[in-house]
Every structure is written in structure tokens, then in C-alpha cells.
């Protein structure tokens, strides 16, 4: 079977890998000059199996209102004249209740846990390096109220079999020794021991190289103009400048841009771009730097150790498809790393970045078949594309090739929106 994968981010490349491993002839199309150059480029670096949760949760509307008035707020909303944005926002608000949260959480954990189990085998098969570590995530609480509120998360973690530890300040310091220098900044933490970390782009580039060695054809610099449909089937992808690229089956792994290419062929996905920011800075003193990932609960900022670098990522900006990186856009993430790990990295050499997270209103990605017989989806992963990439890539590859996937696709397909 000849399969065309649209998108060379971490999700598209892992899908291509699993397709080729099962004997498919694969072509990957991307408008960029190489793999992992958009949302996969400089994300938080977290493999957040324990923190897999939808943003749409009970209490979020009130929290969001408070965040809008914080000095270093984690949420920005630009009131665009965009029906798509407002409809997506209303859909998200409708999911902010206990019943919807549990349904969506269950679906997301199903993918996340499967991905957690798939990734070690993928690494063993390929031997790729990506600055990976397996030292967990520490969710750091600055107030007693945050620590108390985490009990609800602890119950859910226990329910889904995700290992965790509740830590007092000394326990937090034992997990992250550099926090001893800012002991007065926090009251405790929740450590998710199964979480891992790693450089998503480094992983994507290394896996793309293995894919190329296995015969996968990467066609970079190709802008997709349209998906051509005849008699209920896709017959080709029109690109510029290469022209039409054809196959037997097609997978759309285009992240935030999937709705734009799918809408003209009758597939309406409520996937909306939520902008995030990061900075990457060199470690200058290992004793003062983080060892794994720390999530600052107050500012919703993740600080992750990637080899001899520190990645600091966060914020959610709802501003359409804007890719602008303003002069003060990374002020919040810079503040947090300087506040918790002063002297650990050199902020004067920090490299700023912004990317678009493909968010669904219920948090769950959109996987699997569509109403077109040979078109499949692997998109809408939000902030968890890196976390879910191995599991969703393998599961979608199985479906494309007519094999029974190892996870249930109930509630994961585009059908839930129709």
C-alpha cells in the first residue's frame, strides 16, 4: 500500500515510521525545508503521561477570568472578529463540567498510556538520541490552596494507575536539589514519577533520518493546495511546486492547519490554534539548574532540562494563526526560570520561540477514519503531541493498514463532532 502522510512534525513522522515498519510505501509532505520545524520545534519537552488532562475542566472558566488580570498571566485572549474562534470557545466552555471532563480524560489517558508503552520499543528499535531523561515531573505549588486543590488530581491519578508522590518542601528539594536556593517560594509539590522528558525536535529529526534510511520519501518545501476527491475517495494531493502526489491512502497530520485543508472536502474539525511561547538557554551551573521538569502551577510554566540546555515554555494565547514573537512575549517564562532557578542558566543567551498548539474543545485528539474511504486523521493533540505521538502514530498506522489497533477508537474519531 502506498500511503501519503501530510505533515512532518512529530506526529506525522511517527505515523510514517509505523506505516513503513508494517510494509507500507510512504511519502511524507511538508511545506517546511525539514522535519519538526513548527509546533514540534521548541515545545516544553515533557512526555506528560501523568499530566494528561483536558484544559476544559470544572472551575476553569473562573480561573481563566482571574488569569486575565494577573501581571504575569498564563492566558491571553485577543477578541478577534472570528466566528470560528468564538464557536470553538463556546464548545470548550460546554466541556467544563464534571461529566464531560471524566469522559474526555478517559479518552486522552487511553492514548497517553498507550504512547508511554510504545515509546520505549521505538527507542530500542531505532537507538535514536533525543536528550531523554526518565526522572518524572514535579508540579510545584506556591500556595497551600494549590496543594489542597491537588487532591482532586491525586484521586484521578490513582484511578488511572498513574504513579505519583505528594511532597513537602524537603521532598521537592530532594527531587530537584537546586530548589533549596528558593525554599521560601513554594509549599509542596506533586511528583509524577512515570513522566519523561526529551527534545521533541531532536527526536523528530533523528526518527526522520531512520525513516529515510528505511525508504520513506520525504518531500519538503511542498505547500498543499488541496485534497482532490472523486467518488468518495481521495485521488491525490495537489501541491506547489511538485503538482499532484498520489497514493492508496492518506493521513492528515497537519496540526492546527488541518481544518483549513479539510473544510473544502466536507470535514469540519473544531481544531483551533492556541499559541504558546518558550525560551531555550544554556546551563551555566549544573548545581543550580533543574534536573527534570518542574511545572509552576501559579504561572502554568514548565521548566525542563534538555542535556546542557534548559527549556522554559508556557502561556496560552488565543490569537488566530499569528506567528508573531513580540519583544515582551517571553517575559513570563523568563521570569519563572529566573525566579526558581537563579544562576542555573544564562538568560542573556536565551532563544525565544512561539508555536501553535492544535487544540480541540474537548482536549482529545482526532484520530482514525473519516467519511472518505481512504483518508485518515491524526491531529488535534493540543499541548500533548509529543506525549501522544508514539501511541497515536502506531494506532493510526494500524487502522490505515486494516489491522486491529491495540486501543479502542471509540470517542477518538471525527465522528464525535457530527
Amino acid at each position: 500500500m502506498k500511503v501519503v502522510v501530510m505533515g512532518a512534525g512529530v506526529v506525522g513522522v511517527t505515523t510514517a515510521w509505523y506505516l513503513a515498519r508494517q510494509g507500507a510505501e510512504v511519502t511524507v509532505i511538508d511545506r517546511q525545508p525539514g522535519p519538526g520545524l513548527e509546533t514540534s520545534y521548541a515545545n516544553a519537552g515533557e512526555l506528560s503521561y501523568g499530566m494528561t488532562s483536558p484544559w476544559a475542566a470544572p472551575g476553569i472558566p473562573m480561573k481563566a477570568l482571574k488569569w486575565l488580570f494577573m501581571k504575569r498571566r498564563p492566558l491571553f485572549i485577543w477578541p478577534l472578529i472570528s466566528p470560528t474562534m468564538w464557536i470553538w470557545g463556546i464548545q470548550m466552555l460546554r466541556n467544563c463540567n464534571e461529566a464531560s471532563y471524566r469522559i474526555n480524560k478517559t479518552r486522552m489517558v487511553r492514548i497517553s498510556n498507550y504512547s508511554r508503552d510504545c515509546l520505549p520499543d521505538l527507542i530500542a528499535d531505532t537507538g535514536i538520541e533525543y536528550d531523554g531523561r526518565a526522572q518524572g515531573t514535579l508540579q510545584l505549588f506556591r500556595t497551600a490552596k494549590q496543594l489542597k486543590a491537588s487532591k482532586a488530581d491525586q484521586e484521578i491519578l490513582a484511578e488511572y494507575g498513574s504513579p505519583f508522590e505528594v511532597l513537602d518542601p524537603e521532598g521537592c528539594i530532594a527531587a530537584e536539589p537546586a530548589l533549596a536556593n528558593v525554599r521560601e517560594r513554594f509549599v509542596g509539590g506533586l511528583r509524577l514519577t512515570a513522566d519523561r522528558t526529551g527534545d521533541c525536535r531532536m527526536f523528530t529529526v533523528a526518527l526522520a533520518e531512520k525513516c529515510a534510511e528505511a525508504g520513506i520519501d520525504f518531500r519538503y518545501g511542498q505547500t498543499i493546495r488541496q485534497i482532490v476527491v472523486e467518488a468518495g475517495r481521495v485521488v491525490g494531493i495537489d501541491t506547489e511546486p511538485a503538482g499532484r502526489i498520489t497514493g492508496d491512502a492518506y493521513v492528515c497530520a497537519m496540526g492546527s492547519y488541518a481544518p483549513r485543508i479539510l473544510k473544502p472536502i466536507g470535514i469540519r474539525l473544531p481544531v483551533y490554534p492556541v499559541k504558546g511561547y518558550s525560551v531555550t538557554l544554556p546551563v551555566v551551573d549544573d548545581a543550580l539548574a533543574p534536573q527534570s521538569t518542574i511545572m509552576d502551577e501559579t504561572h502554568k510554566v514548565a521548566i525542563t532540562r534538555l542535556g546542557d540546555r534548559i527549556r522554559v515554555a508556557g502561556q496560552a494565547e488565543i490569537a488566530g494563526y499569528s506567528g508573531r514573537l513580540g519583544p515582551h512575549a517571553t517575559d513570563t517564562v523568563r521570569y519563572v526560570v529566573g525566579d526558581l532557578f537563579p544562576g542555573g542558566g544564562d538568560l542573556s543567551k536565551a532563544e525565544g520561540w512561539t508555536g501553535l498548539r492544535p487544540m480541540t474543545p474537548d482536549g482529545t485528539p482526532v484520530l482514525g477514519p473519516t467519511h472518505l474511504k481512504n483518508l485518515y486523521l491524526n491531529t488535534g493533540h493540543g499541548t500533548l503531541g509529543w506525549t501522544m505521538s508514539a501511541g497515536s502514530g502506531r494506532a493510526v498506522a494500524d487502522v490505515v493498514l486494516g489491522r486491529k489497533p491495540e486501543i479502542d477508537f471509540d470517542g477518538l474519531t471525527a465522528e464525535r463532532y457530527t
Side-chain angles (χ1 to χ4, degrees), residues 52-81:
T52 296
S53 298
W55 282 16
I60 283 296
M62 288 304 299
K63 286 183 180 180
L65 285 174
K66 293 177 182 178
W67 290 336
L68 290 173
F69 297 99
M70 286 174 60
K71 180 180 179 180
R72 299 180 181 90
R73 56 188 183 272
L75 174 66
F76 293 78
I77 300 175
W78 298 98
L80 304 177
I81 304 173

Side-chain angles (χ1 to χ4, degrees), residues 254-330:
M254 295 177 64
S256 297
Y257 294 91
R260 288 185 164 185
I261 201 69
L262 294 170
K263 183 179 178 181
I265 59 172
I267 300 174
R268 293 178 176 270
L269 290 186
V271 173
Y272 195 79
V274 175
K275 196 174 181 181
Y277 295 95
S278 77
V279 295
T280 306
L281 54 151
V283 172
V284 293
D285 189 333
D286 187 70
L288 300 177
Q291 298 304 308
S292 189
T293 290
I294 296 87
M295 171 61 74
D296 182 338
E297 179 62 17
T298 297
H299 299 95
K300 302 295 183 182
V301 168
I303 306 171
T304 301
R305 179 67 173 269
L306 299 172
D308 59 359
R309 298 163 296 145
I310 302 171
R311 173 73 49 75
V312 196
Q315 298 176 257
E317 184 173 319
I318 300 175
Y321 285 86
S322 168
R324 181 174 179 269
L325 182 65
H328 300 290
T330 62

Side-chain angles (χ1 to χ4, degrees), residues 44-215:
E46 299 175 84
L47 290 157
S48 306
Y49 308 118
M51 297 189 76
T52 296
S53 298
W55 282 16
I60 283 296
M62 288 304 299
K63 286 183 180 180
L65 285 174
K66 293 177 182 178
W67 290 336
L68 290 173
F69 297 99
M70 286 174 60
K71 180 180 179 180
R72 299 180 181 90
R73 56 188 183 272
L75 174 66
F76 293 78
I77 300 175
W78 298 98
L80 304 177
I81 304 173
S82 167
T84 302
M85 184 184 88
W86 294 110
I87 290 169
W88 177 87
I90 291 167
Q91 289 176 316
M92 185 176 180
L93 288 173
R94 287 175 176 169
N95 278 277
C96 291
N97 60 78
E98 188 64 39
S100 297
Y101 179 80
R102 287 197 165 270
I103 291 170
N104 298 331
K105 171 87 175 180
T106 299
R107 293 169 175 172
M108 295 173 70
V109 168
R110 190 191 317 159
I111 307 166
S112 182
N113 285 352
Y114 183 54
S115 194
R116 178 194 64 199
D117 297 339
C118 290
L119 185 62
D121 289 338
L122 189 158
I123 300 302
D125 288 344
T126 60
I128 60 178
E129 299 289 339
Y130 59 102
D131 278 344
R133 296 191 178 198
Q135 295 173 240
T137 295
L138 176 61
Q139 187 177 13
L140 202 64
F141 303 122
R142 292 179 182 260
T143 69
K145 183 178 179 180
Q146 290 172 347
L147 181 59
K148 183 178 180 180
S150 75
K151 288 183 178 179
D153 291 330
Q154 294 168 34
E155 292 173 0
I156 293 173
L157 288 166
E159 180 180 346
Y160 291 102
S162 297
F164 65 91
E165 300 171 342
V166 181
L167 304 177
D168 60 13
E170 296 309 314
C172 294
I173 292 168
E176 287 288 347
L179 291 175
N181 300 295
V182 290
R183 168 66 180 74
E184 72 285 357
R185 300 274 201 277
F186 55 91
V187 299
L190 181 66
R191 185 165 178 259
L192 307 165
T193 57
D195 283 11
R196 301 186 180 99
T197 58
D199 188 315
C200 180
R201 179 163 192 258
M202 186 183 293
F203 172 90
T204 306
V205 170
L207 185 58
E209 290 173 356
K210 293 293 182 181
C211 287
E213 291 172 7

